[in-house]
């Protein structure tokens, strides 16, 4: 589970990107797109010709009035977050609503909330897990970096899979062990694993050279990200985030999967009563319905429909 401490940090990293790209300033950042999306902004920032300025994600934007001065165009951002990214998105919009024109949440509706009375138990469980993991991650009792900047302890103990297919099967197995009736297609798992793995160090005696699919691989993420949190947001804090987003006037759409991550009754009620999304739908598919070939089209259609409102 991604540490709850990472949510505000990730919100800050996203804000840094927004600042660096000069998005959401209300002056269009020098581009001509009327709506900000990731692909649209990349196109707008790398192309300066008139035709590129009137395209969003490669599609002609008929809503752009070429006679309108750039400073008068809406340059706010349509933010889309999935799962834990949905939690980061809620925190970010609550803190900086002036930057965003809409918020779309996929298979998630905010940070995880925990009962405040359980704070001591969470600290105990997290400390015990970390102490146990340290024996594996830091066998020499140090946390020094290699000459190339990588962490010698985490990389040395990272699990190595014999090839890409073995890593893909491990990713599929992880989904099978998730709560509820979640599933993941082999196609989506392959795409995820290809992005998330790197070639493991191949020794001089290895015979894996040649076919990339048969090379040993390991996941690139820092295993410490999977440690349980020392502290969680309380229910009152999550409700405060919801209230701030709702009061900001930024429209919210929530898309959930029929066989996705289970949502407890408190969270369902808080979303309905505090966040008050203007649109909430359940679609066929599982937690990664936006990546599975059989369900991605419906998810994309719902997002586009919401952005057109």
């Amino acid at each position: 589970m991604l540490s709850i401490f990472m949510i505000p940090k990730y919100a800050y990293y996203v804000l840094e990107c927004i600042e660096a790209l000069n998005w959401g300033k209300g002056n269009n950042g020098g581009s001509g797109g009327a709506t900000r999306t990731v692909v649209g902004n990349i196109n707008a920032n790398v192309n300066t010709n008139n035709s590129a300025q009137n395209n969003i994600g490669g599609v002609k934007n008929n809503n752009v009035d070429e006679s309108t001065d750039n400073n008068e165009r809406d340059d706010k951002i349509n933010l889309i977050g999935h799962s834990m990214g949905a939690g980061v998105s809620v925190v970010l919009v609550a803190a900086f609503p002036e930057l965003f024109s809409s918020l779309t949440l996929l298979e998630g509706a905010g940070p995880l909330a925990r009962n405040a009375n359980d704070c001591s138990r969470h600290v105990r469980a997290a400390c015990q897990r970390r102490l146990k993991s340290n024996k594996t991650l830091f066998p020499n009792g140090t946390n020094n970096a290699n000459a190339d900047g990588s962490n010698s302890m985490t990389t040395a103990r990272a699990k190595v899979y014999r090839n890409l297919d073995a890593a893909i099967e491990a990713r599929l197995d992880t989904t099978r062990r998730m709560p509820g009736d979640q599933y993941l297609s082999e196609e989506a798992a392959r795409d995820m694993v290809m992005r998330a793995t790197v070639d493991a160090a191949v020794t001089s005696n290895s015979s894996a050279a040649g076919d990339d699919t048969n090379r040993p691989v390991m996941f690139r993420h820092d295993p410490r990200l999977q440690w349980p949190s020392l502290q969680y947001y309380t229910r009152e804090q999550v409700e405060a985030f919801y209230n701030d987003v709702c009061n900001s006037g930024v429209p919210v759409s929530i898309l959930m999967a029929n066989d996705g991550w289970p949502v407890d009754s408190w969270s369902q009620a808080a979303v309905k009563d505090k966040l008050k999304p203007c649109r909430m739908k359940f679609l066929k598919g599982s937690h990664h319905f936006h990546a599975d070939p059989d369900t991605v089209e419906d998810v994309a259609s719902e997002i586009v429909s919401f952005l057109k409102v």
Side-chain angles (χ1 to χ4, degrees):
M1 181 181 295
L2 182 63
S3 171
I4 202 71
F5 287 125
M6 294 302 295
I7 287 184
K9 288 185 178 180
Y10 278 137
Y12 169 72
Y13 297 148
V14 174
L15 192 64
E16 271 196 335
C17 293
I18 292 172
E19 181 74 14
L21 293 169
N22 198 32
W23 295 357
K25 298 295 185 180
N27 60 5
N28 208 27
S31 72
T35 306
R36 281 301 196 180
T37 61
V38 172
V39 175
N41 275 296
I42 291 174
N43 286 342
N45 279 284
V46 300
N47 296 292
T48 56
N49 58 71
N50 291 334
S51 61
Q53 289 185 350
N54 290 334
N55 282 268
I56 297 177
V59 179
K60 179 69 175 180
N61 180 13
N62 295 319
N63 294 323
V64 174
D65 180 0
E66 296 184 1
S67 64
T68 302
D69 185 85
N70 282 345
N71 290 331
E72 297 177 0
R73 294 173 180 165
D74 180 14
D75 191 43
K76 292 187 177 182
I77 299 164
N78 293 300
L79 187 61
I80 302 174
H82 169 257
S83 191
M84 187 61 74
V88 176
S89 299
V90 167
V91 170
L92 189 59
V93 173
F96 297 92
E98 70 276 10
L99 297 177
F100 304 98
S101 59
S102 70
L103 175 60
T104 301
L105 305 177
L106 308 177
E107 268 292 287
L112 293 174
R114 293 291 184 265
N115 192 318
N117 293 328
D118 293 331
C119 59
S120 298
R121 182 171 61 84
H122 292 145
V123 171
R124 178 183 176 88
C127 288
Q128 290 177 330
R129 168 69 181 278
R130 295 181 182 205
L131 288 171
K132 182 178 179 180
S133 297
N134 282 341
K135 296 177 182 179
T136 300
L137 297 177
F138 312 118
N140 297 328
T142 61
N143 189 17
N144 298 323
N146 293 322
D148 63 359
S150 63
N151 186 293
S152 59
M153 303 310 144
T154 55
T155 55
R157 290 295 180 171
K159 182 174 181 178
V160 176
Y161 297 86
R162 66 180 183 275
N163 54 33
L164 187 65
D165 286 339
I168 293 171
E169 180 55 36
R171 182 63 184 84
L172 290 169
D173 186 59
T174 297
T175 300
R176 299 185 192 107
R177 291 185 280 108
M178 291 293 102
D181 298 317
Q182 297 184 55
Y183 59 87
L184 181 66
S185 71
E186 194 277 338
E187 295 91 340
R190 179 171 294 274
D191 286 342
M192 293 176 188
V193 171
M194 289 182 69
R195 293 194 303 267
T197 55
V198 294
D199 285 345
V202 180
T203 67
S204 58
N205 296 326
S206 174
S207 61
D211 185 357
D212 288 342
T213 60
N214 285 324
R215 291 177 182 271
V217 299
M218 59 185 181
F219 285 95
R220 66 172 74 240
H221 66 263
D222 189 326
R224 289 171 294 183
L225 289 173
Q226 296 177 314
W227 282 349
S229 295
L230 287 162
Q231 184 177 4
Y232 291 89
Y233 285 121
T234 65
R235 292 176 174 177
E236 291 79 8
Q237 287 175 307
V238 173
E239 286 184 340
F241 283 127
Y242 287 166
N243 283 331
D244 288 341
V245 173
C246 180
N247 294 334
S248 74
V250 175
V252 179
S253 172
I254 300 178
L255 300 178
M256 303 294 289
N258 290 330
D259 296 315
W261 195 281
V263 181
D264 62 85
S265 58
W266 180 88
S267 297
Q268 294 180 36
V271 167
K272 178 182 177 181
D273 299 335
K274 303 297 182 180
L275 185 58
K276 300 178 182 179
C278 60
R279 179 181 296 195
M280 183 168 183
K281 289 190 176 182
F282 283 82
L283 305 176
K284 65 179 180 180
S286 191
H287 189 59
H288 290 92
F289 60 168
H290 63 304
D292 277 322
D294 292 339
T295 55
V296 62
E297 185 174 345
D298 289 344
V299 177
S301 295
E302 288 293 339
I303 294 174
V304 171
S305 174
F306 173 63
L307 294 181
K308 286 183 177 179
V309 175

